[in-house]
Amino acid sequence: MLTWEGPFFLRGGRMKPGLTVEQQVALLAQRDLVIDDEAACRTFLVSCNYYRLSGYARYFQRAPHLGDDTFKPGTTFEDVRAAYVADEALREALGKSLARVELMLRTHVARVIADAHGPYGSFLEERFYTDVGDAEPTVESLLRDIRRSKDRHILRYLDGDDFSRLPVWSAVEAWSFGTLSRAVERGARGSLSDSVATSAGIAKAGFAYRVRSLVYLRNRCAHHSRLWHHSVLDAGPTPNNVRKKAKRLAGQFEPRSVLDVVASLDDMASRGNAADPVLPLLLERHTRDSVFWKGLARPQSPRDHSA
């Protein structure tokens, strides 16, 4: 019998007890969720953490912020499950496009550095980067990722802590997407971003911050985090012409919505010949007036329990 061990804490410090799957189903029904097929509900909860599902359920409940966890009249388990499954499919679609854009960016970073600054040495010097404040120096991030690598195409060039023989086209393959993003933003004393954008055929304005927003989105997808009703914290400046083109296709959406980052991703993927656009695929799967689409276009903060 599967149970969730917690611990969960209620207001006042009292621990919430763990529930079996059967008890979880009963609790949902007690809160007026319509469950036509209890066996299917149980099966779903075996593979999906009840707490994860509750992140989607919140948007179907009356007033959880006021302590009322009952569901809005007529809400079914399939309504909640559909939002969860659609979100999962979106992460999978974005994952493929983001991976291809990341590889495209690695290629252009290596090409620009090798052609303009030489393939060896300089890109691993502290003076090559413009670091700000007390943040970790960019070079330290680059070297940590390189040292962590076990790949032959990295190890063959290393001699202890001597990285002078390591070519940039090998080094970029060891960097995480986040590290690559920082190198783009700060490299060549701040000029690398414009050079990489030009090389890839993408607008220079705000390019480094657009890449950062892709890293943010990729990380949420990689950690299976909810995209539906999510306001992007590290949103890049999607160019107005890109946003207008996307809105002609998809209708209105807010600047910090996931759809805004998808529009930016599609533009970069198209201009860099890296991947097919994701937005048309989303429109094939969801109508603009659907619950799922509205949660992508106009994200709302979860009305969760008060602290």
Side-chain angles (χ1 to χ4, degrees):
M1 192 73 68
L2 292 176
T3 62
W4 174 249
E5 299 297 337
F8 288 126
F9 292 89
L10 300 176
R11 278 172 286 183
R14 184 166 57 88
M15 292 182 66
K16 182 183 291 188
L19 300 177
T20 66
V21 170
E22 286 74 14
Q23 289 170 328
Q24 292 170 3
V25 174
L27 180 59
L28 291 172
Q30 181 183 326
R31 291 173 174 172
D32 298 331
L33 183 66
V34 178
I35 304 175
D36 293 325
D37 188 339
E38 289 192 7
C41 184
R42 286 195 300 271
T43 299
F44 187 77
L45 288 172
V46 166
S47 61
C48 172
N49 188 334
Y50 180 90
Y51 185 72
R52 172 183 287 273
L53 185 66
S54 68
Y56 297 82
R58 284 284 180 254
Y59 293 94
F60 295 93
Q61 292 173 322
R62 289 178 182 268
H65 59 300
L66 300 177
D68 183 358
D69 288 334
T70 59
F71 286 87
K72 298 171 185 176
T75 302
T76 69
F77 171 73
E78 280 305 314
D79 292 331
V80 181
R81 180 181 176 277
Y84 180 95
V85 171
D87 206 44
E88 183 177 51
L90 173 58
R91 289 193 300 270
E92 291 176 356
L94 287 173
K96 294 178 182 179
S97 184
L98 286 163
R100 290 173 181 171
V101 169
E102 177 185 347
L103 294 176
M104 178 268 290
L105 291 173
R106 290 183 191 278
T107 300
H108 287 283
V109 168
R111 181 176 300 156
V112 167
I113 290 178
D115 290 349
H117 307 281
Y120 304 96
S122 65
F123 70 96
L124 291 179
E125 295 177 0
E126 189 169 336
R127 63 184 178 180
F128 187 73
Y129 300 94
T130 301
D131 291 315
V132 180
D134 297 328
E136 180 184 39
T138 305
V139 166
E140 292 303 313
S141 300
L142 306 182
L143 292 178
R144 184 175 58 252
D145 286 359
I146 290 169
R147 292 188 180 106
R148 186 183 296 146
S149 175
K150 303 300 181 185
D151 289 329
R152 176 64 182 164
H153 68 84
I154 297 292
L155 297 177
R156 63 184 296 206
Y157 294 111
L158 304 186
D159 183 11
D161 261 0
D162 180 6
F163 303 96
S164 61
R165 295 177 55 249
L166 179 65
V168 66
W169 50 79
S170 289
V172 296
E173 297 300 324
W175 299 341
S176 70
F177 197 7
T179 299
L180 181 75
S181 173
R182 288 189 288 275
V184 168
E185 181 178 352
R186 304 168 187 172
R189 306 299 297 173
S191 67
L192 186 62
S193 172
D194 284 358
S195 299
V196 172
T198 299
S199 177
I202 300 169
K204 293 186 290 185
F207 175 74
Y209 302 101
R210 293 175 68 187
V211 174
R212 185 193 297 175
S213 73
L214 299 189
V215 173
Y216 177 91
L217 188 61
R218 198 288 304 269
N219 287 343
R220 287 198 68 84
C221 290
H223 293 286
H224 316 291
S225 300
R226 177 169 49 81
L227 301 179
W228 184 59
H229 277 298
H230 178 71
S231 184
V232 178
L233 301 178
D234 208 350
T238 302
N240 287 333
N241 65 313
V242 173
R243 187 174 284 153
K244 288 179 180 178
K245 179 181 177 182
K247 287 184 176 181
R248 285 197 296 270
L249 177 66
Q252 294 298 315
F253 52 80
E254 295 181 359
R256 288 189 176 275
S257 67
V258 166
L259 289 184
D260 193 63
V261 183
V262 172
S264 183
L265 168 65
D266 282 355
D267 174 70
M268 296 172 73
S270 175
R271 293 180 183 277
N273 296 312
D276 293 329
V278 175
L279 199 55
L281 176 63
L282 280 178
L283 285 166
E284 289 178 8
R285 296 176 177 176
H286 309 284
T287 61
R288 293 187 195 177
D289 61 350
S290 68
V291 170
F292 185 71
W293 187 269
K294 290 177 181 178
L296 295 179
R298 292 178 293 279
Q300 303 294 317
S301 297
R303 303 169 69 196
D304 212 335
H305 292 161
S306 300

